[in-house]
Amino acid sequence: MARTLQHAGFSAYVTGGAVRDMLLSIPAHDVDLATSATTADIIALFPGAVEAGGRFRIVLVPIDGQRIEIATLRPASADSASRQHCPHIAGSPAEDAAQRDFTINALYYDPGQERLTDFHGGMADLQDKVLRTIGNPDERFRDDPMIMLRAIRFAHRLGFSIASEAVASIDRHAALIAKVSPERLFAEVARQLTSGQAAGCMRDLCRHRLHAALLPELRKDLLDSQSSFTGLALQSVDDSLARGTRMSASFVFAALLWPQLKRAWDALQKNGWGVMPALERAAHDVCSAQSACLGIRERVAGDIHAIWSTQAYFAIGPHRAGADLDQHPRFRAGYNLFQLRCAAQEVDPELANAWSAQRRR
């Protein structure tokens, strides 16, 4: 694909995570290309290409069941506004590299000349296993606070340390996360929760006070709580992913937010609400409050609600719940959540044993 662009007279480079992961000998999650071609040029060259919005305008090109992201090289003055309104302006690789987040993501590989260009010492940082921002971290984080969250995810995914100056800057600027759109925050937190390193990522969010604008109750449930449920749930998710078991974002969020849901559910029942009405109201309240700061997508929120609803049936036991509970669209995810609750000793042992015996039949 890069050669197609080059044969058309444009410069083209493989960059970002694809180069980084190749050099680390790990599977690349995404393939990104940077080119001197404009958005219109790219779409004209590749049938089926689709323009996508976001902080910077990119073009998605389907090939062999994968979507390649192609972006025009950013000029020195580029920001989210100028890129949105001037997609015909291309910069140089050096200008584009200066605007990337981390040195290890600013490596440019030219497949035509088989040449790797390192503008900001990314190769040395790869060797030292250090995650370092390009330029002053204070300026980087003020420009895009999301980079602080990405630092946490990359550090855990790659097994790197975060440069000390960046750590200090994160601690100074954690509150800026509240300025990021809830939709972008949801996408990033979902990536962290399904990265296979959810437990470590969530603990670091709390340690650096990044959780406050995302998951306000997380510190209480993960670090300060006497209950082991949240830590157990996150570790269980990581273990499942390590075994190759696919975990949906809906289930992971349902487990992560369960302590909040349970507190609200219990409080309503103490005030005389029935089991199911109390759960439905608690689920609505928790999802609504969380969506305001994390922008949980409507479909995901519906799935979370459905997973939680199964817990009311599990609470009344297998005989009263009825055999058709197996037909519930989120039964498997609901039962997995119930098993986590059993492992955390949140469920009466007799009830847990009754469901285990029923499932073995």
Side-chain angles (χ1 to χ4, degrees), residues 274-356:
V275 172
M276 181 57 83
L279 188 143
E280 291 293 322
R281 175 57 184 271
H284 175 271
D285 290 349
V286 170
C287 271
S288 295
Q290 190 59 66
S291 294
C293 52
L294 196 55
I296 296 177
R297 294 168 186 162
E298 188 174 342
R299 177 186 58 77
V300 175
D303 287 346
I304 293 170
H305 198 126
I307 292 168
W308 284 341
S309 74
T310 63
Q311 304 310 297
Y313 295 102
F314 289 120
I316 61 178
H319 301 299
R320 292 178 59 197
D324 59 349
L325 179 57
D326 283 11
Q327 306 306 311
H328 190 287
R330 295 292 176 267
F331 173 78
R332 184 176 294 277
Y335 188 67
N336 288 341
L337 177 58
F338 180 72
Q339 287 183 307
L340 285 174
R341 296 175 59 207
C342 293
Q345 300 182 338
E346 181 184 297
V347 175
D348 184 287
E350 289 188 11
L351 180 62
N353 291 337
W355 276 107
S356 294

Side-chain angles (χ1 to χ4, degrees), residues 225-242:
S225 174
Q226 296 301 311
S227 168
S228 62
F229 180 84
T230 302
L232 178 71
L234 292 173
Q235 191 57 57
S236 176
V237 167
D238 288 343
D239 291 344
S240 295
L241 288 165

Side-chain angles (χ1 to χ4, degrees), residues 10-34:
F10 303 106
S11 61
Y13 307 87
V14 182
T15 188
V19 178
R20 176 198 70 220
D21 292 349
M22 176 185 68
L23 293 170
L24 292 172
S25 299
I26 60 178
H29 287 185
D30 304 296
V31 177
D32 299 333
L33 297 180

Side-chain angles (χ1 to χ4, degrees), residues 158-210:
L158 302 174
F160 281 25
S161 62
I162 302 174
S164 58
E165 64 272 17
V167 171
S169 184
I170 289 172
D171 290 338
R172 285 193 295 272
H173 299 296
L176 292 178
I177 285 295
K179 295 184 176 182
V180 181
S181 73
E183 293 73 24
R184 287 186 74 206
L185 292 177
F186 171 80
E188 176 58 32
V189 173
R191 289 190 190 99
Q192 294 194 9
L193 290 174
T194 56
S195 67
Q197 300 292 334
C201 285
M202 293 301 106
R203 286 191 174 92
D204 275 354
L205 290 186
C206 293
R207 290 189 183 112
H208 296 293
R209 295 177 292 115
L210 290 165

